Amino acid sequence: MSAFQIKEVPEEYDVVIVGSGAGGGMSAKVLTEAGAKVLMLEAGPHFDSAKGDMFKWNYSSPRRGAGTKARAFGEFDAAFGGWELEGEPYTRTKGTEFDWFRSRMLGGRTNHWGRISLRFGPNDFKRKSIDGLGDDWPISYDDIKPYYDKVDDLVGVFGSKEGIYNEPDGNFLPAPKPRGYELLVKKACDEIKIPVIPSRLSILTQPHNGRAACHYCSQCNRGCSTHSNFSSPSVLIGPALATGNLTILNGAMAREVTTDKEGKASGVSYVNKEDGLDYHVKGKIVILAASACESGRLMMNSKSTVHENGLSNSSGVLGRYITDSTGASRSAIIPALLDGIPHNEDGVGGMHVYTPWWLDNKKLDFARGYHIEIWGGRHMPGYGYMWGIEGANKHLKSPDGTTRPSGGGYGAQLKQDARTLYGATVGFSGRGECIARYDNYCEIDPNVVDQWGIPVLRFNYTWSDHEIKQVKHMQDTFEEILTNMGGIFTGAKPGPESNYGIAAPGRIIHEVGATRMGNDPKSSVVNAYCQAHEAKNVFVCDGGPFVSQADKNPTWTILALSWRTCDYIIDQMKQQNL
């Protein structure tokens, strides 16, 4: 694109941030409070969860709360986006199933996530030293622990002190009591020596830093009207705006990071989605926090005479080593919960208990672990509730005690079945660590662009035997627990023909990697402070710098790393090194 077609924004900012999720929000808060003038580019619209759909009943909508193309997790879900966005394609190599979730809105995916807020443990930073696979991080748990502590204190996270070495304790708020079905799960797991402990979720169980405690409506995925759960706009962007140092441009689709003749970033060019025109804004420092793969895409598209292979990519590692959590699920009807007494067990919008990884991988045939997320109970019914009652009520007895010939039905008996079955299902979802591999990557597709003419990503990704065997272990574990609870399975156990029900890569929405950190510029994109090796005023503050996945959700580590990176930026600015 020739220069005369690009409109120059007159003001130069100290920092330009691309993205407004966990990393972008944290960067904005820390840097504006330090006095920096910051511009945030966000591809989507403004969003305030206080004005969301938290208190709408599914039955009040003709769709009964069903998901849409624009809201994949439900009609009232707080995420604007999904795995397919109109005008924003991505492609896959042959044999790849990778699905890429994007949420175009202020706060991004922090508006609807499950708030599972787990620290990586000491072992998670040195897996190669333990099992010889992948690579160690250039930092240790001790390097990031002070920032985990600061995130806990700022945001608020409930949990319990357990003293588990690789599940580090935090500065916890009181945990909510387990629901009835969760107590049954714990009882069954105790009998077979599988731990069940209070969850660690960033939802307030008491007032904290000016935010109200959770009122237990259990609709966290819709965004919180009282800002009682964590989202970037509620906890990070609001305080950043209050400094007067933050400017937000919504509807700004970043095209590339521009660089000067020395290869340093000079700013960011973007498309204004309202008028379709290209603009350029100058920044002394550029922070990419658009999500792991989106930031990688920006860097790949930022080519120049200095960065011929993409920004900070002379190593060819940019886009490599992407991972997503493994995922698989199983559920059953629990007889002890049939004909349950009507009561409110809403609680927080998520599990009150969970199972951390409890085994030694050296004694197993797969290298990395997983945690178990526990679900079920009397949540709000909506479209597709119970995945079709005909698959469940066929397991009930007829009024005369005989076996029913089939499921479904109508009239009074169907209504009674719905009451009998309501809240009687318990399920488990495993979330495991995938080993980072060089041949799992995203790259620029040379033949496809999005609606703004920006080249798109092409994914190449497969699961290894380690992940498949791990998911088989998940399914065996789920079956053991549910059987111990007397569970009635409504579907067949996934077998080898479906790789034991493993979710397609990208479906768990924990993708990290693509701009991995390391001490050696020949095998990494950024250094231990998430600073680009070959453009010292460019930083990546999302999941991109992760060296490995861990069996934990990545958000808490993104927040901690971003805070650490911004403290480094402030120090380097004071020393006039940036």
Side-chain angles (χ1 to χ4, degrees):
M1 180 174 288
S2 57
F4 70 84
Q5 293 176 290
I6 302 176
K7 294 180 178 291
E8 190 72 39
V9 176
E11 184 174 356
E12 181 180 28
Y13 291 86
D14 294 323
V15 183
V16 177
I17 301 173
V18 181
S20 61
M26 181 61 80
S27 299
K29 182 181 187 301
V30 175
L31 293 173
T32 56
E33 290 180 346
K37 295 295 183 181
V38 176
L39 176 69
M40 175 179 283
L41 300 179
E42 167 52 50
H46 177 76
F47 180 76
D48 181 358
S49 63
K51 301 174 183 177
D53 296 322
M54 191 172 201
F55 297 114
K56 290 184 178 178
W57 292 96
N58 287 330
Y59 62 69
S60 67
S61 163
R63 299 181 57 83
R64 300 295 189 263
T68 66
K69 200 166 186 179
R71 288 187 171 185
F73 288 98
E75 184 174 6
F76 304 126
D77 190 78
F80 303 159
W83 288 282
E84 302 291 338
L85 299 182
E86 185 175 352
E88 293 194 55
Y90 55 92
T91 64
R92 308 172 182 89
T93 58
K94 186 177 180 181
T96 289
E97 293 184 82
F98 196 96
D99 296 323
W100 185 25
F101 191 99
R102 290 154 294 167
S103 189
R104 301 295 194 213
M105 61 192 300
L106 189 70
R109 296 183 290 196
T110 68
N111 291 299
H112 87 123
W113 68 302
R115 274 82 190 183
I116 300 172
S117 306
L118 305 175
R119 300 180 178 208
F120 283 20
N123 291 343
D124 296 322
F125 294 93
K126 55 179 183 180
R127 284 294 176 189
K128 184 176 183 180
S129 296
I130 294 171
D131 60 28
L133 300 171
D135 287 292
D136 291 342
W137 291 55
I139 62 174
S140 68
Y141 176 75
D142 289 340
D143 291 320
I144 197 171
K145 180 187 180 300
Y147 291 94
Y148 280 135
D149 291 343
K150 292 167 75 169
V151 172
D152 287 356
D153 293 341
L154 170 67
V155 177
V157 53
F158 69 71
S160 60
K161 302 280 189 179
E162 300 290 337
I164 303 172
Y165 177 72
N166 207 48
E167 303 284 335
D169 295 327
N171 302 333
F172 294 129
L173 301 175
K177 293 180 179 180
R179 303 172 175 96
Y181 73 89
E182 292 172 325
L183 290 171
L184 290 180
V185 171
K186 178 168 174 52
K187 179 177 181 293
C189 287
D190 285 348
E191 293 170 354
I192 52 179
K193 302 188 184 307
I194 294 176
V196 174
I197 66 173
S199 298
R200 298 168 175 188
L201 272 61
S202 47
I203 302 170
L204 303 183
T205 53
Q206 59 189 31
H208 186 74
N209 290 340
R211 293 158 51 221
C214 175
H215 47 270
Y216 295 155
C217 78
S218 198
Q219 302 301 315
C220 287
N221 63 301
R222 297 181 175 193
C224 186
S225 64
T226 57
H227 302 300
S228 302
N229 61 25
F230 171 73
S231 70
S232 178
S234 295
V235 183
L236 305 174
I237 294 175
L241 285 168
T243 67
N245 291 328
L246 176 64
T247 301
I248 300 174
L249 284 183
N250 291 103
M253 186 71 187
R255 182 184 293 278
E256 66 175 313
V257 178
T258 57
T259 53
D260 60 23
K261 61 182 180 180
E262 296 176 348
K264 290 179 61 179
S266 57
V268 178
S269 69
Y270 64 93
V271 180
N272 183 318
K273 292 166 74 171
E274 278 195 25
D275 60 24
L277 299 178
D278 272 73
Y279 292 78
H280 179 261
V281 60
K282 297 184 290 294
K284 298 173 184 175
I285 295 169
V286 172
I287 294 177
L288 302 180
S291 81
C293 297
E294 191 70 71
S295 291
R297 176 192 180 196
L298 268 168
M299 294 180 78
M300 290 180 219
N301 280 326
S302 301
K303 295 182 178 182
S304 66
T305 53
V306 178
H307 302 286
E308 296 181 354
N309 199 31
L311 184 58
S312 195
N313 191 33
S314 64
S315 66
V317 174
L318 183 61
R320 299 280 176 173
Y321 299 101
I322 60 172
T323 68
D324 185 32
S325 296
T326 58
S329 300
R330 191 89 192 275
S331 64
I333 298 168
I334 306 303
L337 295 171
L338 293 171
D339 292 309
I341 299 171
H343 66 286
N344 186 334
E345 64 172 21
D346 285 348
V348 303
M351 57 194 184
H352 288 188
V353 296
Y354 86 113
T355 292
W357 181 237
W358 69 102
L359 297 174
D360 182 356
N361 285 95
K362 293 178 181 178
K363 300 177 181 179
L364 301 168
D365 62 353
F366 56 94
R368 308 287 168 84
Y370 60 88
H371 73 257
I372 301 175
E373 300 174 8
I374 299 164
W375 47 271
R378 307 173 69 87
H379 55 83
M380 185 193 298
Y383 175 83
Y385 176 69
M386 293 184 64
W387 299 280
I389 195 170
E390 69 278 3
N393 69 349
K394 67 181 180 181
H395 297 282
L396 301 176
K397 298 290 186 181
S398 297
D400 61 4
T402 60
T403 302
R404 298 188 185 185
S406 64
Y410 60 92
Q413 186 60 59
L414 182 62
K415 293 179 181 179
Q416 182 55 48
D417 289 348
R419 295 186 183 99
T420 294
L421 289 162
Y422 180 50
T425 298
V426 168
F428 304 114
S429 294
R431 300 289 182 258
E433 178 173 358
C434 167
I435 297 167
R437 297 175 5 234
Y438 181 83
D439 53 355
N440 279 346
Y441 61 86
C442 57
E443 62 185 349
I444 296 299
D445 189 318
N447 303 311
V448 183
V449 297
D450 65 17
Q451 62 182 311
W452 300 286
I454 304 172
V456 307
L457 288 181
R458 178 170 61 196
F459 290 92
N460 184 88
Y461 198 106
T462 58
W463 295 122
S464 74
D465 286 344
H466 284 285
E467 287 83 55
I468 302 302
K469 291 176 179 178
Q470 179 198 81
V471 168
K472 179 183 183 300
H473 191 276
M474 288 182 192
Q475 294 290 1
D476 292 342
T477 302
F478 301 159
E479 185 171 68
E480 183 180 16
I481 300 170
L482 291 167
T483 299
N484 202 37
M485 297 176 74
I488 302 168
F489 294 97
T490 56
K493 181 181 180 181
E497 71 286 345
S498 64
N499 283 332
Y500 305 98
I502 192 170
R507 280 278 153 177
I508 307 304
I509 321 179
H510 290 168
E511 73 276 3
V512 298
T515 57
R516 62 167 13 202
M517 66 164 67
N519 292 324
D520 186 354
K522 295 179 181 179
S523 59
S524 58
V525 178
V526 300
N527 66 16
Y529 288 99
C530 303
Q531 179 182 33
H533 285 302
E534 296 161 15
K536 68 177 185 178
N537 63 339
V538 175
F539 296 82
V540 182
C541 287
D542 50 32
F546 282 38
V547 178
S548 59
Q549 177 89 44
D551 58 329
K552 288 99 173 172
N553 307 50
T555 304
W556 227 239
T557 301
I558 292 172
L559 289 167
L561 280 177
S562 298
W563 199 330
R564 181 174 182 269
T565 293
C566 288
D567 276 358
Y568 175 78
I569 290 172
I570 293 166
D571 175 71
Q572 292 298 296
M573 290 177 72
K574 288 178 179 177
Q575 296 184 45
Q576 298 183 341
N577 291 332
L578 292 175

